[in-house]
Amino acid sequence: QVQLVESGGGLVQAGGSLRLSCAYSGVIRGRSVLGWYRQAPGKQREQVATITNGGSTNYADSVKGRFTISRDNAKNTVYLQMNSLKLEDTSVYYCAVVGLGSVYWGQGTQVTVSS
């Protein structure tokens, strides 16, 4: 059983930075992908960034150049560094492990960007 706990959310002014952390536990197989997703009120959950076991990353167009996903396997933690935050980045951010035929979600952490 995989468990994930997000942290690092909060209130930040536009243009500021924030780093989210996701501590995971349990066995994660090599094929699994770690990712960050977000869901704002009234909107569908969207993929923000993913990272494979080999370190390959993908980003949503809306965050390219501003966000960076990384992982520290020794600490069982995945990070999302968010820079140049915009009002539209306001959302609940979720960490997930996407495996073969299964998805594990964290409970989410709120990120609010103010003007």
Side-chain angles (χ1 to χ4, degrees):
Q1 186 71 249
V2 177
Q3 296 181 349
L4 307 99
V5 180
E6 302 96 333
S7 63
L11 177 65
V12 63
Q13 288 189 338
S17 298
L18 209 59
R19 189 181 76 160
L20 305 182
S21 298
C22 173
Y24 58 86
S25 62
V27 177
I28 299 178
R29 294 170 175 80
R31 191 181 292 269
S32 298
V33 175
L34 292 168
W36 286 97
Y37 300 75
R38 66 186 183 187
Q39 186 169 22
K43 295 185 177 181
Q44 292 187 351
R45 187 170 299 187
E46 65 173 335
Q47 183 175 286
V48 175
T50 61
I51 185 167
T52 68
N53 189 48
S56 180
T57 59
N58 280 289
Y59 298 93
D61 289 340
S62 60
V63 306
K64 284 182 179 178
R66 300 188 298 118
F67 290 10
T68 302
I69 187 171
S70 62
R71 62 190 295 173
D72 187 335
N73 292 338
K75 296 182 178 180
N76 289 346
T77 303
V78 60
Y79 305 94
L80 184 67
Q81 178 66 48
M82 305 184 293
N83 298 325
S84 302
L85 283 162
K86 304 176 180 179
L87 293 177
E88 52 263 41
D89 293 321
T90 294
S91 188
V92 177
Y93 284 73
Y94 299 89
C95 181
V97 175
V98 182
L100 189 61
S102 64
V103 180
Y104 299 91
W105 297 97
Q107 291 188 327
T109 184
Q110 176 71 48
V111 172
T112 303
V113 183
S114 64
S115 61

